[in-house]
Amino acid sequence: METLERLIQGHYRPEEYPSLADQAARWAAARPLEGLSVLDATPVFRNTVSKYIPLLQAGARLTVGVAEGFPHDPAIAAFLQENGIPVLKNGNAVNEKFDLILDCAASFSHLAARIGYVELTRSGVERYKHKEKPVFVADSGTIKRIETCLGTGESYFRAMAELGYDDWKGRTLVVFGSGKVGTGIVLYAAQQDARITVITDPACVPEQITRVAEQIIDYRDLSASAEAVAVAYAVVTATGVANALAGIGGALNRSAALLANMGVEDEFGKEVPEGRVLGRKRPLNFMLEEPTHLKYIEATMALHNEGAAWLAAHPAAEGLNNPPAGIEARLLEITRRSGVIGDEIGLIL
C-alpha cells in the first residue's frame, strides 16, 4: 500500500485526485469491502494506481485485470505484481470467480461474480443486460461526463500534438458522433479555432455543439458525409458504434484527412484499413503515457469503486442500476470544491 501511495504522491498533486483521496480516507475506517475478492479491469496505467488505493483501504482482496488487445502499461502491471497485487489477463481467465467484478468494455463479463458487476463504459452494457447478478452502470450517471467530455476531448488534441499535428486554426475537423466524447472533442476544437463539422443524428445534438459547429450533417446522408470528409483536415470518430462509417469507406480512403478513432469499437469498419488510421484504429489517446489526465478521470474511477460498495450493501439489487444521485452529488461536490478542474466542469454541467 505504501509503495502505491508513494507512486501517486510522487507524480500528482492532491488536488488532482480529491474524490479518490476522500474515498480512501472514508473507506479506511468503514471497510465496506472487507474480505471480498474484487477484480478491477480499469485500463492499467500509472494514474489507475490511485483507484486501487481506496479498494485496498476498503479491505478488498484485489486482483487487477488486463484485457488482451486493449492498451495498458506493462511496466505498471509489473509494478503491481511486485507489490503483491495479482494481474490476470482476460484471455487466461476461465474458471476464476470473484465476489465483485469492476469491468471495462465487458472484458471480463464471461466470469462469474458472486455479488455483481460494475461496468465502466456504455459500450460494455449490452453484454451485461441479461446477467443474473446485478450490474452497476457507472457510465449512466453525470460524473462520467467529466471524463468523456473534458478528459477525452483534451486527450485527442494532446495525442495529435504528440504526433506533430498541433496547428488547428482555420482547419476543418469532422467529428462523427455528438455524445459525451464527441461533445468534448468539439469543445476543445472550438478552443483551437478549428472549423467544425459534426455528423450525427440532428435530433440529438447538444447545445454545446450547436453553438460552435459550422455544419451539422445527418449521418444518414452518405453523400453529404462523403463530401465533408473529402475536404477535411482531420476526421475523428466518437459514435461508440462498430462500423458506424460503413458506406463512406471509399471517400475516407481517398481523402487526405488525418483519421483517428476515439471509441473502443472499430468505428471505421473493414472498408478502411488499419494502416490508414492513426493508432491503427485503437482509441488514439491510448498512445499517450497518460491517456486521460488523472484530474479528469479520478471522479469516474471513484464512482466505479462506489459501485462495488453499493452492490455489496444492496444484496437485493437486480438488473442494470444507475448511480444513485446522492453518490454522484457527493463526488461532484468534492471535485468542484477541492479539485483543479472546478471551473472547467461548468462547460458541461
Side-chain angles (χ1 to χ4, degrees):
M1 175 80 77
E2 290 181 4
T3 308
L4 273 63
E5 291 175 334
R6 284 198 299 271
L7 175 71
I8 294 302
Q9 293 167 2
H11 288 89
Y12 305 101
R13 295 171 292 153
E15 55 266 35
E16 292 180 87
Y17 55 98
S19 297
L20 288 168
D22 175 81
Q23 188 176 71
R26 286 187 292 107
W27 284 2
R31 306 285 284 184
L33 303 175
E34 187 71 66
L36 298 180
S37 58
V38 175
L39 174 69
D40 190 299
T42 308
V44 179
F45 292 92
R46 185 178 62 206
N47 62 13
T48 322
V49 174
S50 63
K51 183 181 195 296
Y52 306 143
I53 295 170
L55 294 173
L56 293 169
Q57 293 282 33
R61 293 186 287 113
L62 178 64
T63 297
V64 168
V66 172
E68 293 181 354
F70 210 81
H72 75 284
D73 187 335
I76 296 299
F79 165 82
L80 294 171
Q81 290 179 304
E82 291 166 3
N83 283 276
I85 298 175
V87 175
L88 176 67
K89 291 185 176 180
N90 64 337
N92 298 333
V94 181
N95 298 316
E96 288 82 358
K97 294 182 180 180
F98 296 90
D99 292 315
L100 291 154
I101 294 177
L102 279 63
D103 211 352
C104 177
S107 300
F108 287 84
S109 59
H110 59 288
L111 294 185
R114 184 180 66 85
I115 295 174
Y117 304 82
V118 187
E119 173 53 47
L120 185 61
T121 69
R122 174 58 51 188
S123 59
V125 172
E126 186 64 31
R127 287 164 62 184
Y128 274 113
K129 280 185 175 179
H130 304 294
K131 283 285 187 183
E132 292 183 7
K133 296 297 182 177
V135 182
F136 184 104
V137 184
D139 195 279
S140 295
T142 300
I143 291 291
K144 195 71 162 56
R145 290 184 62 83
I146 300 173
E147 173 199 348
T148 49
C149 285
L150 297 179
T152 309
E154 185 273 342
S155 65
Y156 167 72
F157 287 97
R158 184 157 43 95
M160 292 295 283
E162 186 157 308
L163 291 170
Y165 309 114
D166 56 0
D167 181 9
W168 294 88
K169 187 175 179 62
R171 288 177 160 165
T172 300
L173 173 65
V174 175
V175 181
F176 281 84
S178 59
K180 293 190 286 290
V181 174
T183 299
I185 293 171
V186 168
L187 289 173
Y188 279 94
Q191 293 178 7
Q192 301 269 357
D193 292 326
R195 301 177 65 184
I196 304 162
T197 293
V198 178
I199 300 178
T200 186
D201 183 346
C204 304
V205 182
E207 182 193 357
Q208 293 102 319
I209 288 180
T210 59
R211 285 202 308 261
V212 297
E214 288 191 6
Q215 186 177 199
I216 296 174
I217 297 172
D218 192 320
Y219 74 96
R220 289 159 290 215
D221 190 337
L222 298 183
S223 176
S225 298
E227 290 177 7
V229 303
V231 298
Y233 170 69
V235 174
V236 59
T237 57
T239 70
V241 178
N243 206 34
L245 275 60
I248 64 166
L252 289 162
N253 289 330
R254 291 189 297 272
S255 170
L258 302 164
L259 307 184
N261 178 34
M262 287 299 286
V264 174
E265 307 288 348
D266 173 10
E267 301 183 29
F268 286 98
K270 294 181 180 179
E271 294 177 85
V272 181
E274 279 189 358
R276 177 68 184 87
V277 183
L278 297 170
R280 303 190 68 82
K281 296 187 177 181
R282 289 184 175 184
L284 190 65
N285 59 324
F286 280 103
M287 64 168 280
L288 300 166
E289 180 183 21
E290 189 162 286
T292 304
H293 278 317
L294 179 57
K295 62 183 179 180
Y296 294 121
I297 201 172
E298 68 96 24
T300 293
M301 293 196 293
L303 180 62
H304 200 215
N305 287 350
E306 290 284 351
W310 187 88
L311 287 172
H314 293 81
E318 298 178 342
L320 301 178
N321 297 269
N322 295 336
I327 292 176
E328 289 214 295
R330 183 179 68 244
L331 294 176
L332 189 57
E333 190 277 329
I334 293 169
T335 304
R336 280 179 159 148
R337 169 171 46 84
S338 303
V340 294
I341 62 168
D343 292 340
E344 292 180 72
I345 291 175
L347 294 173
I348 58 169
L349 298 179

